[in-house]
Amino acid sequence: MFTEQGPEEGPTVRELAVQALSSIERGYDLLAPKFDLTPYRTPDRVLDAVTRAVRELGPFDTGLDVCCGTGAGVGVLRQLCRERVVGVDFSAGMLAEARAAFPSGSGTSPVGGGPTIDWVRADARSLPFAPVFDLALSFGAFGHFLPAERFGLFAEVYGSLRPGGQFVFPIGAPPPVGSRAYWSLLGFDAAMRVRNALWRPTFVMYYRTFRLGDVLEDLARAGFVVRLQPLTELGLRPDGSPRARLVVATRE
């Protein structure tokens, strides 16, 4: 995946290193042209499973992709929403890639019909929206927020939803203690903490800070009523529990 060849081959090790030593915004601006060729893009099987699960919760007219990146979540929302979809991100580079992937001008429908698609550059910790959305979702972005920022992020999403609007996102079960995945995530987070202790600007990207119990508590504090829906098509753990769940948080 990470080679020294052309752009079609994904980012090189050197490019990833430069990104990791930048700020979050600058790092993603640099990575944006090759982001969809990295393991960081949400896999299609996860996008498809969420699409099928959320479709049962609708119908929806308007949707918001929080921290949209190159637009994978917008691709989900355009299948679920009838009128308008908005992607918001603070990286100009990621938004440029998203616009190219989903051509649409403000107030116009994308090629092939469907809802209008708009793109907004903004920090998710200060969303510039009135409560106009029926559905908000997010994929793979929460590791970029420190635990102390999580409640504020959820409150911003809450304020962007109409009464009855739903905020949904998948969350995976933690890997078994002592497993290869467990040590891999632990090692990554440890390396990131060392990097941020020694280098400025910081690059917040932690895999082990988004714990389900804490997430549910912060969603409730923000005003949501929350339930969990198993995403069984993504597999089961040895004890029979789902490997992933869909968090469905409703503004009442």
Side-chain angles (χ1 to χ4, degrees):
M1 179 69 71
F2 309 129
T3 72
E4 294 294 334
Q5 299 182 31
E8 71 280 6
E9 298 298 332
T12 65
V13 172
R14 180 182 180 280
E15 288 171 331
L16 288 174
V18 171
Q19 181 228 357
L21 294 175
S22 305
S23 66
I24 300 175
E25 181 178 351
R26 176 59 177 160
Y28 275 103
D29 284 347
L30 293 170
L31 184 61
K34 300 181 182 181
F35 178 80
D36 286 347
L37 299 174
T38 73
Y40 305 118
R41 182 189 183 275
T42 303
D44 286 340
R45 65 188 185 92
V46 175
L47 299 173
D48 292 342
V50 170
T51 301
R52 285 187 281 270
V54 176
R55 182 173 285 118
E56 301 301 317
L57 307 176
F60 306 101
D61 288 328
T62 54
L64 175 66
D65 183 3
V66 181
C67 305
C68 67
T70 55
V74 167
V76 171
L77 289 171
R78 69 187 297 202
Q79 301 176 63
L80 300 171
C81 299
R82 297 178 293 197
E83 295 180 3
R84 183 184 181 219
V85 170
V86 176
V88 60
D89 203 281
F90 77 161
S91 166
M94 298 292 269
L95 287 171
E97 295 299 315
R99 288 190 184 96
F102 299 95
S104 175
S106 178
T108 63
S109 295
V111 175
T116 62
I117 300 176
D118 292 301
W119 307 97
V120 175
R121 187 181 181 192
D123 191 322
R125 294 167 294 190
S126 183
L127 292 173
F129 305 116
V132 297
F133 295 100
D134 301 314
L135 175 65
L137 53 69
S138 191
F139 291 98
F142 298 122
H144 293 303
F145 298 93
L146 295 171
E149 299 174 311
R150 192 168 50 228
F151 164 74
L153 170 66
F154 292 163
E156 289 293 312
V157 177
Y158 183 93
S160 303
L161 290 169
R162 294 184 176 123
Q166 297 174 85
F167 178 33
V168 303
F169 53 86
I171 186 168
V177 175
S179 66
R180 181 176 180 180
Y182 172 87
W183 290 114
S184 177
L185 296 182
L186 183 66
F188 182 93
D189 281 11
M192 188 60 67
R193 292 184 186 280
V194 171
R195 178 257 187 240
N196 287 334
L198 300 175
W199 192 269
R200 292 292 184 274
T202 59
F203 191 98
V204 176
M205 185 176 179
Y206 299 114
Y207 284 109
R208 301 179 70 250
T209 59
F210 201 71
R211 298 183 178 92
L212 180 59
D214 298 332
V215 169
L216 298 180
E217 180 179 344
D218 285 340
L219 285 167
R221 287 177 56 214
F224 287 105
V225 175
V226 188
R227 66 182 179 87
L228 299 176
Q229 181 173 324
L231 293 171
T232 53
E233 66 181 275
L234 295 179
L236 300 175
R237 306 176 82 191
D239 63 2
S241 62
R243 292 188 181 277
R245 292 179 171 90
L246 184 71
V247 177
V248 181
T250 302
R251 173 175 178 169
E252 293 195 332

